[in-house]
Amino acid sequence: MERIELTAAWAKGQEVLAEVTKESGVRASKCYQCGKCSAGCPVAFAMDKTPREIMRLVQLGLMDEALQSHTIWLCASCDTCSTRCPREVDIARVMETLRIIAKRKGSVAEKKMDLFHDLFLKSVENNGRVHELGLILGFNIYGMQPLKDAHFGPSMLLKGKLSPLPHTIKDNGEVKKIFANVRKRGGKL
Amino acid sequence: MKRVGVFICHCGTNISAAVDCEKVAENAKSFPGVAYSTDYKYMCAEPGQELIKKAIKEQKLDRIVVASCSPRMHEPTFRRCIESGGLNAYLLEMANIREHCSWVHPDDKERATIKATDLVKMAVAKVMQNEALVRSTIPITKRALVIGGGIAGIQAALDIANTGHIVDVVEKEPSIGGRMAQVDKTFPTLDCSACILTPKMVDVANHPNVNLITYSEIEKVEGYVGNFDVTIRKKARSVDLKACTGCGTCIQKCPTKVPSEFEMEMMDRKAIYTPFPQAIPNKPVIDRENCRYFKSGKCGVCQKVCPTNAVDFTQEDELVTERYGAIVVATGFDLFDESVYGEYGYGKYKDVITGLHFERLLNASGPTMGKIKRPSDGKIPQNVVFIKCVGSRDEAKGKAYCSKTCCMYTAKHATLVREKIKDSNAYVFYMDVRTPGKGYDEFYTRTTDQYGAKYIRGRVSKIYEKGDKLIVWGEDTLLGRPVEIEADMVVLATAMVAKADAAKLAQMVGFSYDQNHFYTEAHPKLAPVETHTAGVFLAGACQGPKDIPESVAQASAAAVKVCGLLSKEEMPTEPIISAVNEAICSGCGMCVPVCPYTAIDLKVIQERIHGKTVSRKVANVNSGLCQGCGACTVACRSAALNLKHFTNEQILAEVDALCL
Amino acid sequence: MKYAYYPGCSLSSTGVEYDISTKKVAKSLGIELWEIPEWNCCGASSAHLTDHLLALALPARNLAIAEEKGLDVAIPCAACYARCKATEVEVRNSKEMQETISAVIERQYTGKSQARALLDVFVNDLGLESINTLVNKPLKDLKVVSYYGCLLVRPPKLGFDDAEDPQSMDKLIEALGGTPVDWAFKTECCGAAHATTKSEVGFPMIEKILTAAKETGADCIATACPLCMSNLDMRQTQVGAKYGQNYSLPVFYFTELMGIALGINPQELGISKHFVDVSGIVKKLNEAAGRRDTA
């Protein structure tokens, strides 16, 4: 395993660390590495690093490694970690913030999951609401798996669970404005 | 002409880092009355004190201001210093430029220096009006009270009694012994807890200088150091201790079973009971809440079978008041309520138990006769999981502090699992292993190395039942991987917390406690068994989590403090008390109910007005009782009451110095 | 009792029966639901992964509309509820955030109008006793595991129930005449959108919950979230096939079980829209009711 030179890494990580602290409102130094977050995390089995290890990377300023991890994308935002943390560290919020920063930096370890969220928000921006059929179709086409879950389609349509056309709200101008205003304030959507 | 000397202390860098001490000393030279002003690195040290004494002589100083730390810390030091320099001790004022200034304003030296100058200015204005005060003396009652009959209380009582003083031990439970009586073996030697405790219990019970007052609580505390008047409620035992021989027939015949508190409710006791076989006094008590006779008026079997007619249903609580010179508080601890950990299922899963439950399972006279068995089905567990820091080091659900004892007792438990159960596994989930005691780390090393307990670094997140197993989810943080254990039993190392009624007792006796309701020592390093209330001392876990050796050491220390006090015939009293200006006292009596120490009453005086003798009422302060709190001076409408050393004039002078 | 009603996107598509049953049940309980006109998507569960401000602004618009009406918002979907609650609290606790949000949505929202989980409204505002008195077709002998999901009772300081061992749905089932079955997976996460975006991660999560539910011997699962519903119901056969299991475990929205117990025709509640067959349970309940009627 490669040896990490910690002082250089710390200096290099400062800028991103400051962003994480500011945007999440969480001081990573509060974490005492007990691992309760990872012990109860329902997605830990699929992660390349446990949530505790992500917190450790942040504590040491090893931000690139944190931002490149799959963990931050696999986090289901279920809040189990934050709920049980004995130091009241909002770990889920840190994961969320790291994801946002990773995306901003174009360092996306789970491209397909990211695509889903992009399409989701596109749908919200266009229609004011999510058009689930459009979202799934788009996701499958862009995700190069056009037939994924297709077998649900007919019965869903039949049960009235999927509408072929999006529900668009009348006041959608307002929602579009929300997106525009967030962009104006620096939001990268 | 009054000549004030001002001495500014740097306190190393504690003050000088935030305050320009030289400048403050320079500024002080211009204050009215100041004849001499200087600064020094450590004013409390020998050279600093010499500096003051020398200045008194050479500069002919007649009053002194020391600007340094809190008077709580060093006022006695500097009073002694100026006394030996030839001045009355009360011609000293202290300006607290550390706690009140440098420590709270570390980042603004300029303004901190201005504030320090102001504080000194006020002290100078006040000391100009100080008067020499003379201490008087009061007699000391040569009897000590120990509250709590656990190992700390027992040790303190024995040590005090052995020096020839009389000690009363008040214990809330029907027997002395406390938590240590519940423990099976003690670390790091694994000797039997009862074998070392019960002889001490017998010693204290048989000691000619000790009176045990069990099943009793403190009701009221009045008075002050040397003379505390304590009212004790002796709860109705329903058994005449003098008549009872402790034969136990009543216990055998009692038809009512109640879960035993001593056995952590894993066994039953009777409604008439002794908490455990070696109880002292080994005479029963009736638990009236559960007794059939007290609930329904029927039964009374115990009374019928008693060969000495000792059972007395008509007994009532008895209040007795006794005077003591000193008090040792040794009320012990409670266990944290882990049912707040829904993720661990304590209270829901029978085989998730606490360390104290486990002690009873290990104990030969416990519910399983010393065999480790599961509470749910009595099976011997093969895989036992221990979880440390349950309630400790947990700001979210428990307490922020470390409970200090759990690392060692968990190591002990893991050792005993491996020793007692063939082919068993003991897994210990821990965050840190803290074993800084003599022989402690060696004990822990044996637990893992010789006894093969498996230590896993990580906090457990969830426990759930699957069939007859308990599934434990943790992370092995050293591997960085989630782990799971199919356990047969889970033992939670529960935090030690202050007694539920700790605050109530502290308020009653009149000493302070911290945010966790542990009692506050007078100084964390230099006065660890004293409280801020003179004559009240602390021993054992009521002051903070502690193991047995530490509790015993602290108890002996408290005993020495008590003996020191009781060895004197009388003690000097603080002369800072209220005084009445009888000429202007209107005798309204407002001050009488305001005084928390019942130190004021009204007396009749005679005076001659226009040639006639008239009698009228005026306030009268009992100098032995007055504690100088000043409440009466505020209540007094005619300003006839004035607190010496803090007179209205002195306080106004300070205000003027600051504001004019 | 009157609340603003925020159904959320899923309730007009995959979770349409949640919407139908909520409205029916509210009506028969005398609770007036005022559907927020032209409500927009709250952004769950994508906005908060993309931009924090957007994640607060989207729910804020709906809350602002309710606030103009002076109403608290009843929200059936657990994910929508969680996002709305987070917005409400952050806006209420920070004047600065309140101003920012109001500027972004170009409406006033002060945090006064509260986000309330529909389950909370039923159990704590209306009360179990009132519900119990209106039951005319009790869920007799129906063993139900309540699946709260991860978001409904978190974070613990904002929740209306215990975050580790919540009870409100269990108590509701009891009030409906059913038998709540305790289990340890009440709040385990089902993986949300993972089943769609990364099934190799989402499926094992679903499997764990279904297996645990099956092991309790319960007849069905009750849920309060359309995403949980689609994972546990729609994907049940698919997940079962992958792990060689035949769960055959019907999943209901708690509102559907309420509707049945209140005597509403199950078909009107939309339960035919489920993927796992529920007819066995409906038949069993009908028979029990029939026996009760004749007896």
Side-chain angles (χ1 to χ4, degrees):
Chain A
M1 240 180 254
E2 197 191 339
R3 189 184 300 277
I4 311 167
E5 206 290 292
L6 287 175
T7 50
W10 174 249
K12 182 165 176 267
Q14 282 313 294
E15 200 182 318
V16 180
L17 175 57
E19 279 176 65
V20 173
T21 310
K22 183 161 176 282
E23 290 177 35
S24 67
V26 175
R27 273 186 301 115
S29 56
K30 266 206 100 177
C31 166
Y32 62 16
Q33 291 286 306
C34 72
K36 195 173 181 183
C37 49
S38 313
C41 174
V43 208
F45 72 94
M47 290 173 168
D48 54 345
K49 292 188 166 58
T50 66
R52 178 192 55 80
E53 289 176 316
I54 298 291
M55 292 302 299
R56 187 67 189 146
L57 290 171
V58 174
Q59 284 182 331
L60 292 177
L62 299 168
M63 305 311 293
D64 289 345
E65 212 172 323
L67 293 176
Q68 283 155 14
S69 76
H70 290 260
T71 295
I72 60 174
W73 295 92
L74 294 175
C75 165
S77 303
C78 73
D79 264 4
T80 306
C81 49
S82 305
T83 299
R84 293 187 183 149
C85 176
R87 297 280 289 160
E88 300 187 302
V89 174
D90 192 345
I91 302 134
R93 185 73 190 274
V94 173
M95 296 292 159
E96 180 185 307
T97 309
L98 287 171
R99 217 154 26 201
I100 292 170
I101 295 173
K103 191 173 161 65
R104 217 150 54 202
K105 293 191 169 295
S107 153
V108 175
E110 288 283 344
K111 299 228 158 40
K112 246 198 278 175
M113 299 179 102
D114 185 45
L115 170 70
F116 178 84
H117 300 307
D118 279 349
L119 293 171
F120 186 105
L121 291 178
K122 191 52 83 197
S123 178
V124 175
E125 185 171 8
N126 287 339
N127 308 311
R129 292 181 190 170
V130 168
H131 177 231
E132 288 185 333
L133 181 62
L135 172 62
I136 299 293
L137 286 176
F139 177 64
N140 289 349
I141 290 162
Y142 289 111
M144 309 290 276
Q145 44 183 0
L147 293 177
K148 186 171 180 290
D149 291 339
H151 62 285
F152 288 126
S155 58
M156 294 279 265
L157 285 166
L158 216 62
K159 287 172 192 284
K161 290 196 156 203
L162 277 184
S163 140
L165 292 173
H167 299 272
T168 306
I169 65 174
K170 270 189 270 160
D171 293 344
N172 195 33
E174 269 192 60
V175 176
K176 285 202 164 83
K177 251 193 235 162
I178 291 177
F179 277 81
N181 284 339
V182 170
R183 281 193 191 99
K184 253 189 244 163
R185 284 165 190 268
K188 296 254 184 321
L189 305 176
Chain B
M1 270 299 277
K2 290 169 183 166
R3 293 178 63 82
V4 180
V6 176
F7 299 86
I8 314 291
C9 178
H10 294 216
C11 194
T13 54
N14 271 309
I15 295 171
S16 63
V19 171
D20 183 344
C21 295
E22 287 168 34
K23 194 167 174 198
V24 177
E26 196 52 40
N27 292 343
K29 285 182 179 157
S30 66
F31 301 154
V34 174
Y36 179 74
S37 175
T38 190
D39 60 290
Y40 185 67
K41 212 170 177 67
Y42 297 105
M43 209 56 90
C44 61
E46 174 75 22
Q49 295 194 38
E50 281 308 315
L51 182 83
I52 297 174
K53 284 187 230 171
K54 205 170 136 215
I56 292 173
K57 209 170 149 198
E58 290 176 358
Q59 305 291 329
K60 301 191 172 42
L61 303 176
D62 62 6
R63 50 204 67 217
I64 301 296
V65 168
V66 177
S68 60
C69 52
S70 163
R72 267 207 184 285
M73 184 77 199
H74 274 318
E75 193 170 55
T77 312
F78 292 115
R79 278 186 180 165
R80 276 195 304 272
C81 165
I82 72 162
E83 234 173 353
S84 73
L87 298 182
N88 179 281
Y90 293 87
L91 294 169
L92 168 81
E93 273 309 314
M94 290 190 71
N96 182 355
I97 60 168
R98 192 177 74 173
E99 285 87 340
H100 286 179
C101 189
S102 67
W103 279 359
V104 280
H105 309 296
D107 302 322
D108 192 343
K109 194 162 186 173
E110 194 182 328
R111 293 172 69 199
T113 304
I114 295 172
K115 180 173 174 181
T117 304
D118 281 343
L119 290 168
V120 171
K121 198 175 179 185
M122 290 162 71
V124 170
K126 181 171 181 244
V127 83
M128 289 287 283
Q129 309 221 22
N130 278 23
E131 283 173 20
L133 299 177
V134 182
R135 297 183 181 102
S136 62
T137 57
I138 46 160
I140 291 172
T141 305
K142 299 209 169 204
R143 190 184 186 97
L145 169 67
V146 174
I147 307 174
I151 183 60
I154 291 172
Q155 184 66 44
L158 280 172
D159 288 347
I160 297 167
N162 282 337
T163 63
H165 297 293
I166 306 292
V167 193
D168 289 355
V169 178
V170 172
E171 167 59 50
K172 189 155 71 169
E173 301 297 325
S175 167
I176 59 166
R179 292 286 180 199
M180 188 174 166
Q182 284 179 285
V183 172
D184 178 56
K185 287 189 169 61
T186 56
F187 57 77
T189 45
L190 290 185
D191 44 355
C192 150
S193 183
C195 309
I196 56 176
L197 172 69
T198 46
K200 270 194 190 289
M201 288 166 63
V202 174
D203 285 352
V204 79
N206 293 339
H207 202 294
N209 290 343
V210 179
N211 302 305
L212 291 187
I213 310 173
T214 53
Y215 207 49
S216 298
E217 291 182 48
I218 305 299
E219 187 83 5
K220 198 163 84 178
V221 178
E222 289 175 330
Y224 49 90
V225 54
N227 297 282
F228 291 103
D229 290 317
V230 180
T231 306
I232 299 161
R233 176 179 292 274
K234 294 182 165 179
K235 292 182 279 187
R237 206 175 177 106
S238 314
V239 171
D240 179 352
L241 280 182
K242 284 199 189 95
C244 173
T245 61
C247 71
T249 314
C250 54
I251 301 176
Q252 273 171 19
K253 301 290 180 193
C254 173
T256 308
K257 284 182 177 172
V258 183
S260 158
E261 297 84 357
F262 185 85
E263 298 294 350
M264 302 300 284
E265 308 200 339
M266 293 185 294
M267 226 171 144
D268 287 336
R269 60 161 169 84
K270 298 294 183 65
I272 185 165
Y273 72 108
T274 55
F276 53 101
Q278 306 89 339
I280 287 182
N282 204 349
K283 294 176 182 178
V285 53
I286 294 180
D287 163 10
R288 292 188 171 184
E289 266 175 38
N290 289 299
C291 167
R292 221 176 263 194
Y293 179 83
F294 282 97
K295 274 162 76 178
S296 65
K298 291 176 197 136
C299 191
V301 169
C302 49
Q303 197 174 43
K304 282 170 212 149
V305 299
C306 179
T308 60
N309 251 334
V311 175
D312 178 4
F313 295 132
T314 65
Q315 253 188 21
E316 283 178 18
D317 288 6
E318 192 190 339
L319 292 177
V320 293
T321 301
E322 195 68 59
R323 179 166 282 195
Y324 300 99
I327 299 175
V328 175
V329 183
T331 46
F333 66 96
D334 272 338
L335 289 182
F336 181 75
D337 173 17
E338 325 51 7
S339 60
V340 304
Y341 287 88
E343 62 269 43
Y344 294 167
Y346 176 79
K348 187 166 163 177
Y349 307 133
K350 278 187 174 167
D351 297 325
V352 178
I353 59 173
T354 70
L356 207 52
H357 285 92
F358 197 69
E359 292 288 343
R360 297 316 301 156
L361 293 181
L362 291 168
N363 193 273
S365 59
T368 54
M369 317 289 268
K371 285 227 155 57
I372 303 172
K373 291 179 180 172
R374 313 201 318 166
S376 64
D377 55 10
K379 278 189 201 156
I380 292 175
Q382 287 302 303
N383 296 315
V384 183
V385 167
F386 294 91
I387 304 177
K388 294 210 278 187
C389 299
V390 182
S392 309
R393 304 175 69 195
D394 184 343
E395 290 157 38
K397 290 187 174 169
K399 305 289 181 184
Y401 56 79
C402 161
S403 284
K404 211 173 180 181
T405 58
C406 326
C407 280
M408 282 305 290
Y409 77 64
T410 301
K412 175 186 78 179
H413 289 167
T415 297
L416 293 171
V417 165
R418 293 282 295 143
E419 192 180 86
K420 288 194 168 200
I421 306 172
K422 198 170 167 280
D423 299 329
S424 62
N425 286 305
Y427 294 97
V428 179
F429 281 94
Y430 71 100
M431 294 200 291
D432 294 289
V433 178
R434 296 178 170 177
T435 51
K438 193 170 174 180
Y440 285 13
D441 204 61
E442 296 90 322
F443 184 91
Y444 158 60
T445 309
R446 277 197 299 278
T447 307
T448 52
D449 182 16
Q450 280 179 31
Y451 288 93
K454 291 172 189 70
Y455 272 60
I456 301 160
R457 196 200 167 279
R459 226 181 221 279
V460 167
S461 175
K462 183 173 174 131
I463 299 171
Y464 64 96
E465 230 169 25
K466 192 174 182 187
D468 71 342
K469 299 281 183 190
L470 290 161
I471 310 298
V472 180
W473 284 358
E475 186 200 1
D476 185 322
T477 59
L478 302 179
L479 279 179
R481 282 170 70 170
V483 293
E484 179 177 300
I485 293 173
E486 276 195 14
D488 299 301
M489 184 191 261
V490 177
V491 183
L492 309 177
T494 310
M496 285 168 103
V497 297
K499 280 275 184 195
D501 56 358
K504 199 177 132 205
L505 183 75
Q507 285 161 12
M508 198 193 302
V509 183
F511 57 90
S512 49
Y513 49 91
D514 64 22
Q515 73 267 35
N516 297 310
H517 293 194
F518 284 120
Y519 298 150
T520 312
E521 64 283 359
H523 190 280
K525 284 142 237 168
L526 301 179
V529 301
E530 290 95 327
T531 64
H532 281 306
T533 303
V536 179
F537 305 99
L538 302 173
C542 62
Q543 182 257 346
K546 249 177 226 78
D547 59 15
I548 296 165
E550 246 191 304
S551 296
V552 170
Q554 201 191 11
S556 290
V560 169
K561 299 283 171 185
V562 169
C563 295
L565 190 62
L566 299 192
S567 65
K568 294 179 201 140
E569 294 303 320
E570 50 186 21
M571 57 182 293
T573 58
E574 188 58 73
I576 301 175
I577 56 170
S578 272
V580 187
N581 181 348
E582 290 180 356
I584 57 171
C585 174
S586 67
C588 71
M590 286 289 281
C591 50
V592 176
V594 165
C595 178
Y597 305 99
T598 56
I600 308 181
D601 56 6
L602 293 178
K603 69 173 180 186
V604 178
I605 56 164
Q606 250 120 58
E607 22 175 47
R608 288 189 68 80
I609 297 175
H610 306 309
K612 274 194 247 168
T613 304
V614 209
S615 56
R616 65 180 177 98
K617 283 183 179 173
V618 293
N620 176 45
V621 177
N622 178 332
S623 61
L625 293 176
C626 176
Q627 296 293 297
C629 72
C632 56
T633 66
V634 183
C636 182
R637 298 188 293 191
S638 49
L641 280 158
N642 220 346
L643 182 61
K644 290 180 193 169
H645 205 65
F646 291 94
T647 60
N648 295 334
E649 296 73 25
Q650 283 177 302
I651 291 174
L652 270 176
E654 286 185 282
V655 176
D656 285 349
L658 184 67
C659 303
L660 290 184
Chain C
M1 267 186 227
K2 187 175 177 181
Y3 299 85
Y5 175 56
Y6 177 71
C9 303
S10 294
L11 270 71
S12 54
S13 52
T14 50
V16 66
E17 62 272 35
Y18 198 6
D19 183 53
I20 297 170
S21 54
T22 296
K23 286 176 175 159
K24 290 259 179 206
V25 166
K27 198 174 167 204
S28 77
L29 293 172
I31 293 176
E32 195 182 332
L33 296 178
W34 175 76
E35 185 164 330
I36 295 172
E38 302 298 325
W39 53 264
N40 59 278
C41 170
C42 70
S45 45
S46 289
H48 71 112
L49 308 182
T50 307
D51 187 274
H52 187 61
L53 187 57
L54 182 70
L56 298 178
L58 288 172
R61 177 179 170 269
N62 300 315
L63 291 164
I65 299 173
E67 194 169 276
E68 284 159 23
K69 258 299 205 220
L71 294 172
D72 284 345
V73 190
I75 306 167
C77 168
C80 299
Y81 162 71
R83 296 319 314 173
C84 292
K85 193 80 199 165
T87 304
E88 170 209 316
V89 172
E90 197 155 337
V91 164
R92 196 168 46 236
N93 290 344
S94 155
K95 185 92 187 125
E96 192 190 339
M97 188 50 90
Q98 187 184 318
E99 281 161 11
T100 310
I101 291 292
S102 294
V104 169
I105 64 173
E106 301 184 12
R107 280 173 185 269
Q108 270 301 318
Y109 178 56
T110 65
K112 192 161 169 270
S113 176
Q114 292 190 33
R116 301 283 308 277
L118 183 71
L119 179 66
D120 178 24
V121 167
F122 284 162
V123 171
N124 296 316
D125 288 8
L126 186 60
L128 294 168
E129 264 175 52
S130 314
I131 294 171
N132 183 258
T133 54
L134 294 169
V135 168
N136 61 26
K137 214 168 127 193
L139 308 178
K140 205 168 175 310
D141 299 327
L142 189 68
K143 287 180 284 175
V144 186
V145 283
S146 294
Y147 178 62
Y148 297 75
C150 57
L151 294 174
L152 192 61
V153 289
R154 286 173 185 159
K157 281 182 182 152
L158 304 179
F160 59 93
D161 202 338
D162 187 273
E164 293 296 346
D165 189 12
Q167 295 295 329
S168 41
M169 210 190 302
D170 295 74
K171 292 207 176 112
L172 176 66
I173 300 295
E174 204 171 16
L176 299 175
T179 309
V181 179
D182 188 32
W183 64 324
F185 285 71
K186 284 178 179 182
T187 61
E188 280 299 315
C189 172
C190 68
H194 283 11
T196 305
T197 57
K198 206 168 174 76
S199 57
E200 69 271 32
V201 177
F203 282 18
M205 296 172 78
I206 298 170
E207 182 270 335
K208 239 184 214 157
I209 292 160
L210 288 172
T211 303
K214 194 74 189 168
E215 275 172 4
T216 64
D219 301 313
C220 64
I221 301 175
T223 180
C225 172
L227 211 51
C228 299
M229 183 69 167
S230 68
N231 279 338
L232 299 183
D233 178 58
M234 184 180 88
R235 299 209 180 262
Q236 192 176 111
T237 327
Q238 208 181 3
V239 171
K242 187 165 176 217
Y243 292 94
Q245 296 288 329
N246 177 18
Y247 301 108
S248 305
L249 199 55
V251 190
F252 290 94
Y253 288 110
F254 74 94
T255 46
E256 294 173 332
L257 292 173
M258 286 177 83
I260 294 171
L262 294 171
I264 301 168
N265 180 351
Q267 295 316 313
E268 284 179 32
L269 294 164
I271 60 167
S272 57
K273 296 177 188 298
H274 292 199
F275 283 78
V276 178
D277 186 24
V278 296
S279 58
I281 286 182
V282 174
K283 201 171 149 216
K284 186 176 146 183
L285 290 172
N286 277 337
E287 279 166 9
R291 273 202 306 279
R292 205 168 48 104
D293 288 347
T294 51

